[in-house]
Amino acid sequence: SVIIPVHNGSMWLDSCFKSITSQTILETMAIEVSIYNDGSTDNTKKIIEEWQSKLRGSEIYITVSHGAGQAKGVGFAKNQAVHQSSGEFLCFQDVDDEMLPCRISFQLEEARQHPRAIIGSKFIRDPPKSTPRFSRWANELDHKKLSVQIYTSHGPTVIMPTWFCSREVFHRVGKFSEAGKGTPEDLIFFYKHLDGGGTVRRIDECLLIYRYHQNAMTFSIHEDTIWNIRIQRLIDNELQKWPSFTIWNAGKQGRRFYRSLPPLLQDKVVAMCDIDQKKIGRRYQPYFPDDPKRTKTTRPIPIIGFQEASPPFVICIKLDLTDGEFEKNLASLRLMEGEDYVLFS
């Protein structure tokens, strides 16, 4: 079942449907397209009905529901589309993207071999240079790190528009968050999947044209919301277990990370480390504008060079921004990601 949530998707529906009709899997089996129309006010309903007519009697069967009134959000729409579908496997498709011809056949084969996995793929970004750092990360991340490098601001290590999984995977997690607009339902689902023992795999073929535009739902999610979800999971799954740790970055992001921690975990921070000679040897005095007493009683944090620092580290530095200099420094320490450090960039 191809799962499509849609809200005011009239300008994308034709290209989305055409990409589904080009799937090579149709030579050997039929597929269901399950659409939940979440309160659209444009021509979405009319275009869906036109495609139902075009595809009648073909190897593509459309199941559709039209929600009335105010839109209830992407998570709700995805859940409804999954609930009304019947396939053993689920192929998640955003209406503004296009699947390439071998997508379903390649991912179906992988999902049959790995029934507890979310299967992603590489993608082609459109426009091509719209998000170069993110695209490189998502397309080239080492397979061993797909379940490890999960705390960066990039989100899930395989992008949601490429997700493919068994229905069993979906039911094990339960459903997507239905908190509505501004909720990163994919990240929440991804973390629950990992917490339940699920795995992550990526097919190293470009199976999707992934569009970047200002109306994408991604832009409705506030950065602070994603930050809070990431840091809470990091606290629950990593920091609670560590007796002490070092924050790598004595600048703005490292200090923000420190202030976001509860007091008991702030007490575990033994140092901040950096490469900036102007910072090394100084101390960071935490400042809490809403709590002057806490500011006065909180101990200053020493700032040291990264070569002097001891793991484990929480690294609050963005990747792929320093012509490889940071990555070389990190590699020189011969550490293992997930054990000696986590990236929280």
Side-chain angles (χ1 to χ4, degrees), residues 223-224 227 251-261:
E223 191 268 339
D224 285 348
W227 174 282
K252 181 179 179 181
Q253 290 301 306
R255 296 178 183 200
R256 181 187 177 192
F257 178 82
Y258 177 88
R259 292 193 304 271
S260 298
L261 297 174

Side-chain angles (χ1 to χ4, degrees), residues 80-92:
Q80 293 300 306
V82 170
H83 179 71
Q84 70 191 19
S85 69
S86 58
E88 182 184 353
F89 294 91
L90 307 173
C91 175
F92 291 92

